[in-house]
């Protein structure tokens, strides 16, 4: 899994990572291996840190106190989990399918209380109803089937106590062909259905682009799948630049004009409550 600034981009559940450009097919680099973990450290994620993570934290802040437990499902290198722990003051538990990502996260996310490996779709060592909230950032794009997505939602529901909050961050495949500050979604003019393979460009810290193969999950489809997974009060929000500027890091806000992000914001946050 792996979330992150796409530096913190989630390594995907079920062990299915996306492969960097030129490494697809049989035998390319997988996010779940050592090379994938190293590749994560080279990815810059300004669009996520402007329009994504601050709003995830904002949604969580309304429901979490100092003694609350937050699970980051698909924690990747741990930077988002670490920031959540420092921002929210909650006890944060990171889970991921990749042992290499978890090893990296233990070094990069020192504020996180514990890390747990996901094996056979289950977060090992975590009992039912242990979490007051779960966040899941950019994880579903590695899943090709509805069954796989429902499996992730079922495990998240298992971890949540009744009434617990689920916050899901994803990229809208309907934004295909637009180049944002740190990501490019799909091919111009393409329309992607549920689970269809969709290329995603991620900007590296050196300014170059890395293409990964992910899967498209349209916004309305995700909402319906969340509702099927024993969640209620499903709500979706597409944060705008105007809303983001008071929340984002001031240095980040001044870094760009954010013209594409202003024209069509690419990130959608889905929130729901465990029934």
């Amino acid at each position: 899994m792996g979330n992150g600034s796409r530096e913190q981009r989630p390594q995907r559940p079920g062990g299915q990572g996306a492969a960097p450009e030129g490494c697809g097919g049989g035998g390319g680099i997988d996010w779940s291996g050592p090379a994938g973990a190293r590749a994560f450290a080279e990815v810059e994620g300004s669009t996520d840190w402007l329009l994504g993570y601050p709003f995830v934290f904002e949604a969580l802040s309304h429901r979490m106190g100092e003694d609350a437990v937050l699970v980051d499902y698909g924690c990747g290198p741990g930077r988002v989990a670490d920031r959540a722990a420092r921002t929210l003051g909650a006890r944060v538990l990171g889970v991921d399918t990749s042992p290499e990502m978890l090893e990296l996260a233990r070094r990069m996310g020192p504020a996180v209380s514990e890390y747990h490996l996901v094996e056979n779709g289950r977060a090992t060592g975590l009992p039912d109803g242990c979490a007051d909230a779960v966040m899941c950032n950019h994880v579903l794009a590695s899943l090709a089937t509805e069954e796989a997505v429902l499996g992730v939602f079922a495990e998240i529901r298992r971890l949540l106590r009744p009434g617990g909050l689920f916050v899901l961050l994803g990229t809208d495949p309907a934004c295909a062909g637009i180049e944002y500050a740190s990501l490019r979604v799909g091919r111009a003019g393409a329309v992607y259905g549920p689970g269809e393979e969709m290329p995603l460009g991620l900007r590296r810290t050196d300014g170059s682009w890395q293409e990964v193969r992910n899967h498209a999950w349209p916004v309305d489809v995700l909402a319906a799948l969340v509702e099927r997974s024993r969640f209620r009060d499903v709500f979706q929000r597409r944060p705008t630049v105007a809303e983001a500027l008071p929340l984002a890091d001031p240095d980040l806000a001044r870094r760009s004009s954010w013209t594409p992000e202003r024209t069509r914001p690419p990130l959608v946050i889905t929130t729901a409550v465990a029934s």
Side-chain angles (χ1 to χ4, degrees), residues 177-198:
I178 302 175
E179 181 173 309
Y180 297 96
S182 65
L183 86 151
R184 298 186 298 210
V185 183
R187 305 291 187 217
V191 177
Y192 298 96
E196 290 184 357
E197 189 171 284
M198 179 184 73

Side-chain angles (χ1 to χ4, degrees), residues 65-246:
E66 289 186 3
D67 297 326
V69 174
L70 169 65
V71 169
D72 184 359
Y73 191 92
C75 66
R79 291 196 182 103
V80 176
D82 184 79
R83 182 73 66 86
R86 298 175 190 277
T87 300
L88 301 171
R91 180 169 178 254
V92 178
L93 313 178
V95 304
D96 204 280
T97 58
S98 167
E100 292 83 6
M101 284 291 184
L102 291 178
E103 181 180 350
L104 185 61
R106 289 186 180 97
R107 300 196 303 268
M108 301 182 74
V112 177
S113 297
E114 300 173 14
Y115 289 100
H116 296 262
L117 183 66
V118 177
E119 293 184 303
N120 299 317
R122 190 179 181 94
T124 57
L126 292 180
D128 296 0
C130 65
D132 297 290
V134 174
M135 65 177 177
C136 182
N137 301 311
H138 295 302
V139 169
L140 304 183
S142 67
L143 304 180
T145 67
E146 182 177 294
E147 180 183 13
V149 173
L150 289 172
V152 168
F153 289 167
E155 174 61 2
I156 288 172
R157 177 62 190 85
R158 181 189 75 81
L159 294 171
L160 277 168
R161 62 169 177 78
L165 181 65
F166 176 30
V167 183
L168 175 69
L169 173 63
T171 303
D172 185 358
C175 294
I178 302 175
E179 181 173 309
Y180 297 96
S182 65
L183 86 151
R184 298 186 298 210
V185 183
R187 305 291 187 217
V191 177
Y192 298 96
E196 290 184 357
E197 189 171 284
M198 179 184 73
L200 188 72
L202 304 176
R203 192 185 293 276
R204 296 184 178 100
T205 53
D206 65 3
S208 63
W209 288 89
Q210 173 171 279
E211 185 171 291
V212 297
R213 292 187 178 90
N214 286 324
H215 297 274
W217 289 102
V219 173
D220 57 342
V221 172
L222 282 182
L225 294 177
V226 170
E227 287 185 338
R228 285 175 54 186
S229 302
R230 296 172 54 214
F231 289 94
R232 57 181 171 80
D233 301 336
V234 178
F235 177 78
Q236 291 184 304
R237 177 183 185 184
R238 188 188 301 270
T240 67
V241 173
E243 294 170 325
L245 293 179

Side-chain angles (χ1 to χ4, degrees), residues 54 63 81 89 176 199 244 246:
R63 300 289 294 272

